[in-house]
């Protein structure tokens, strides 16, 4: 076998060398074509020149060839002498004629060969010159094509730059026109605010005393110092004290709004009601809008906060709605997409909280889709995604009209592909009934239906007043009275909330107790068990489809981990993985890696795979050869990567009586795969580990010489005789051990003669077995022969 492998290997090496030499010779021939053609030309020229000079009687330098003349004269003289001596006879004349004829034939053949060689050289030269000319023509054509493409792309880039520049110039002009209009409006608003501020300052300080405008002067003052300054002021109705309280109110509202989130909103609301929201309603609205613009992800939280404040102070909600409507209108006119997205998202969540009427949402969508552009359609898609669930309940016909408009835009095909995909995704969300996009999250559903107030506002109304003067400090002549009134209102609001919370807590506790009692009663009444195992079949189907549809083992592992398994169902996953592996035509390493990942992940899967190993080995005779091979390679992979404990090998007992043909094939494939993965040296070290010898006693039995010989012969026949060295040494030393045991037995017991004879028989049997002769096998063969006779 080894000799055949060496011959095959040598044959392959010779073939490789031949191929290399052939390629090298072709390369050298191709490289020397030009040189050979040049040498051929030179040789032809020299040959022609020599023939011409020879006919003229000249040597290579061009001087007369005297030797040739002397040689001719000498020849003529010799012939003359011969003629004078005597005439030649007829035989000599015939020999001379034959020699001259053979010489002419040889010279003719040499001339033909030279001509043929010259013709072949010329043909080869012409052929290679034509090849070179074709290659040069092809390269020139490729260069022309590349130049043409480069010129074309350069022309396209220049045209695109010119087109983009024209578009940017047009957009900049439109923005300048719109910006100038908005600046005029903002200037008017600022002038109105300045006039209000000037009037308030004049009213507060008619004498023009600058010192009374406040001690802070617009500089940051720490809270403790601000409180000390407020205590220091004696007149609580003075301008200075009112300004200090105004600054404190602004800082407190900004801090509370910036801290709010979905988890602490119930704790922030009482603190917010502790501040004078009637006096600082402008500050509250401005702070909410700024915070939402900075953190659009918390829009639903700010909308829930506004909704709660709106139930107690409807004028605050009305003011906020007016300001957000003006903010939307201003952003739409300026084509300011970030501002527009923020405003639209806030309006959507105000509609979800039913602070704003659904007609406002439909009006916003109508404005956005009236003259559709990529940005306006994208904003409209985001708006419908946020509040579509609420519009489907409140105004299904209006929502249907909006979607018909989306469908028309999609059929027109004038917008970008990306926006078309957004519209198609919106239709898919609508088909799923806006699952994953609830109107209000459960933790933000803080307002009861009886307390909800809804405002209607028209975006086309030019008389919307944002009341920007509320953001500026103004002297309040009734300051102390208004503060006392708000204190009373605050107590009533906070007391109501505390009662509501207490009642809700008590009610929730009672409901929980009732639910627990009902559940217990239902459990005592009836316990239904599914004997059809429908859930188990569905689980196996899910696992099978997940395994077979995954691209690699990592994807399959992630998908299988997402399946919610009840305690005890991990075994089903291991069984299905093993079944899928056995059904394949050839073993796929995909299943071994997946099983290894689960064994490394959780000890439960490792224990289940050990149970599967025992179960499969006990029923190995039922499997076909292909399934048996796949199962053996699967467990070999787990053992080779230490994903499965080697203690499972203790279930294998390698004896002639305890094994079948199927089990021996299984053990053969298992150990061959382990030797390929680990190597024979590492496998031998692992099998000779002192801590694992108890588990390997069944595979390498030492209880009986016959079983020991069977194990040695088995591993030797499958090419793994190297792992039986210790077993061979034990078999050789077995007679000596038996003799020692015999001596100990003879000393301890007096009547052990029969036992010693049997032991000596065993010793002789082991010696004969060590020389590869099995007496028991011969006896079996003799018995069979007798039966045949």
């Amino acid at each position: 076998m080894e000799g055949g492998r060496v011959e095959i290997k040598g044959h392959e090496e010779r073939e490789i060398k031949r191929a290399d030499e052939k390629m090298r010779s072709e390369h050298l021939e191709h490289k020397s074509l030009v040189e050979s053609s040049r040498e051929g030309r030179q040789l032809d020229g020299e040959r022609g020149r020599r023939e011409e000079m020879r006919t003229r009687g000249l040597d290579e330098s061009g001087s007369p060839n005297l030797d040739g003349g002397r040689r001719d004269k000498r020849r003529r003289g010799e012939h003359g002498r011969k003629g004078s001596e005597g005439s030649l006879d007829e035989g000599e004349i015939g020999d001379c004629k034959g020699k001259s004829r053979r010489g002419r034939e040889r010279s003719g053949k040499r001339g033909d060969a030279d001509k043929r060689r010259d013709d072949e050289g010329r043909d080869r030269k012409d052929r290679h010159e034509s090849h070179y000319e074709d290659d040069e023509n092809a390269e020139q054509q490729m260069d022309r094509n590349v130049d043409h493409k480069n010129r074309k792309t350069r022309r396209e880039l220049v045209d695109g730059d010119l087109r983009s520049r024209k578009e940017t110039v047009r957009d900049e002009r439109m923005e300048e026109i719109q910006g100038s209009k908005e600046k005029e409006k903002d200037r008017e608003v600022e002038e109105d605010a300045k006039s209000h501020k000037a009037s308030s300052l004049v009213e507060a300080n008619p004498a023009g005393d600058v010192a009374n405008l406040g001690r802070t002067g617009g500089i940051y003052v720490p809270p403790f110092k601000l409180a000390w300054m407020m205590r220091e002021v004696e007149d609580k109705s003075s301008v200075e004290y009112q300004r200090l309280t105004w600054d404190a109110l602004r800082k407190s509202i900004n801090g509370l709004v910036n801290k709010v989130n979905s988890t602490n909103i119930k704790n922030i609301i009482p603190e917010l009601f502790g501040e004078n929201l009637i006096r600082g309603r402008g500050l509250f609205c401005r702070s909410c809008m700024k915070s939402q613009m900075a953190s659009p992800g918390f829009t639903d939280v700010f909308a829930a906060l506004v909704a709660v404040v709106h139930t107690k102070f409807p004028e605050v909600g009305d003011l906020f709605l007016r300001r957000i409507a003006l903010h939307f209108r201003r952003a739409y006119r300026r084509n300011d997409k970030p501002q527009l997205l923020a405003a639209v998202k806030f309006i959507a969540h105000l509609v979800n909280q039913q602070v704003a009427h659904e007609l406002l949402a439909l009006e916003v969508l109508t404005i956005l889709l009236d003259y559709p552009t990529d940005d306006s359609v994208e904003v409209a898609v985001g708006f419908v995604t946020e509040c579509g669930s609420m519009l489907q309940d409140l105004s299904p016909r209006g929502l249907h009209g909006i979607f018909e408009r989306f469908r028309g835009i999609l059929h027109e095909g004038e917008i970008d592909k990306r926006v078309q995909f957004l519209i198609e995704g919106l239709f898919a969300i609508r088909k799923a009934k806006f699952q994953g996009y609830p109107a209000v999250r459960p933790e933000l559903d803080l307002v009861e239906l009886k307390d909800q107030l809804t405002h209607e506002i028209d975006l086309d109304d030019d008389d919307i007043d944002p009341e920007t003067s509320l953001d500026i400090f103004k002297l309040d002549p009734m300051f102390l009275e208004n503060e006392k009134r708000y204190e009373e209102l605050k107590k009533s609001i906070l007391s109501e909330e505390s009662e509501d919370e207490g009642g809700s807590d008590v009610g929730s506790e009672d409901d929980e107790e009732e639910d627990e009692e009902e559940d217990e009663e239902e459990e005592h009444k009836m316990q239904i068990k599914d004997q059809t195992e429908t859930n188990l079949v569905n689980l196996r189907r899910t696992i099978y489809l997940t395994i077979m549809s995954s691209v690699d083992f990592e994807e399959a592992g992630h998908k299988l981990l997402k399946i919610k398994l009840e305690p005890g169902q991990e075994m089903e996953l291991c069984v299905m993985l093993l079944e899928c592996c056995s059904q394949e035509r050839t073993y796929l390493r995909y299943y071994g890696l997946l099983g290894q990942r689960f064994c490394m992940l959780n000890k439960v899967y490792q224990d289940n795979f050990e149970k599967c190993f025992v179960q499969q080995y006990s029923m190995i005779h039922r499997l076909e050869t292909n399934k048996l091979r796949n199962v053996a390679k699967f467990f070999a992979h787990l053992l080779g990567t230490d994903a499965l404990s080697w203690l499972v090998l203790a279930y294998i007992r390698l004896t002639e009586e305890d094994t079948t043909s199927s089990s021996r094939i299984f053990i053969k494939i298992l150990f061959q795969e382990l030797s390929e993965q680990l190597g024979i040296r590492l496998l031998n070290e692992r099998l000779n580990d002192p801590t694992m010898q108890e588990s390997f006693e069944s595979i390498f039995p030492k209880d009986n010489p016959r079983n020991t010989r069977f194990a040695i012969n088995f591993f030797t026949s499958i090419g793994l005789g190297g792992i039986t060295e210790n077993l061979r040494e034990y078999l050789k030393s077995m007679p000596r051990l038996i003799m020692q045991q015999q001596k100990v037995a003879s000393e301890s017991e007096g009547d052990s003669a029969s036992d010693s004879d049997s032991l000596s028989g065993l010793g002789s049997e082991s010696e004969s077995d060590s020389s590869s002769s099995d007496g028991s096998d011969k006896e079996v063969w003799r018995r069979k022969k007798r039966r045949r006779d």
Side-chain angles (χ1 to χ4, degrees), residues 4 55 71 76 170 180 281 336 435 529 550 739 753 768:
T55 54
R71 200 179 299 117
R76 287 193 296 269
R170 186 173 62 254
S180 61
R281 58 186 181 274
D336 192 350
Q435 290 183 0
K529 293 183 178 179
S550 299
M739 294 299 292
S768 61

Side-chain angles (χ1 to χ4, degrees), residues 31 72 91 120 131 139 177 234-235 237 267 281 319 332 358 370 462 471 482 527 539 541 549 589 663 682 704 718:
K31 187 176 180 181
D72 294 338
E120 290 177 357
H131 285 308
E139 291 178 357
I177 294 170
E234 297 178 356
D235 188 6
S237 61
N267 300 324
R281 58 186 181 274
L319 176 63
Y332 180 73
E358 62 270 14
D370 192 10
D462 296 333
D471 301 342
N482 292 334
Q527 289 182 355
L539 176 63
R541 182 186 295 109
S549 63
R589 196 164 175 264
S663 61
L682 186 58
N704 193 347
I718 64 175

Side-chain angles (χ1 to χ4, degrees), residues 179-192 330 334:
S180 61
K181 292 181 180 179
E182 295 296 334
K183 285 179 181 179
E184 291 177 358
K185 291 184 179 180
D186 293 340
R187 195 180 298 109
E188 293 176 358
V189 173
E190 289 176 358
E191 288 176 358
D192 294 338
R330 187 182 302 112
R334 292 178 178 178

Side-chain angles (χ1 to χ4, degrees), residues 14 32 88 131 161 397 495 706 782:
R14 287 194 296 273
S32 62
L88 297 174
H131 285 308
D161 292 337
R397 291 185 178 179
S495 62
R706 188 165 178 269
R782 288 169 186 165

Side-chain angles (χ1 to χ4, degrees), residues 450-492:
K450 62 180 180 180
D451 296 333
Q452 286 178 348
L453 297 174
T454 305
H455 292 283
E456 293 184 12
I457 189 170
D458 188 7
L459 290 175
D460 294 332
D461 189 5
D462 296 333
D463 298 333
I464 298 176
D465 186 10
E467 298 185 25
T468 54
S469 59
L470 296 175
D471 301 342
I472 305 168
F473 170 71
K474 289 170 58 176
L475 181 64
D476 187 7
M478 308 288 291
F479 176 72
L480 296 177
E481 296 178 1
N482 292 334
E483 289 292 325
K484 290 179 181 178
R485 290 177 184 174
Y486 188 79
E487 287 292 331
E488 296 175 358
L489 185 60
K490 179 178 70 174
K491 290 178 182 178
S492 63

Side-chain angles (χ1 to χ4, degrees), residues 358-425:
E358 62 270 14
L359 291 177
L360 178 62
L362 298 176
E363 191 174 357
V364 168
L365 290 171
T366 304
I367 293 172
L368 292 173
L369 300 178
D370 192 10
Y371 298 101
T373 61
D374 292 342
D375 292 336
S376 66
V377 175
E378 183 180 355
V379 173
V381 169
F383 182 79
V384 176
T385 303
E386 296 291 341
C387 66
S389 179
M390 182 61 69
L391 290 177
Q392 194 172 15
D393 296 335
L394 299 177
S395 180
R397 291 185 178 179
L399 186 64
H400 178 72
I402 295 298
F403 273 96
E404 288 297 324
R405 178 58 180 154
F406 275 122
R407 185 175 284 107
I409 294 171
L410 196 61
H411 289 322
E412 290 172 1
E414 296 180 356
I415 57 176
D416 192 23
K417 289 288 185 183
R418 181 181 65 85
V419 184
Q420 292 181 13
F421 286 137
L422 291 176
I423 296 175
E424 292 175 359

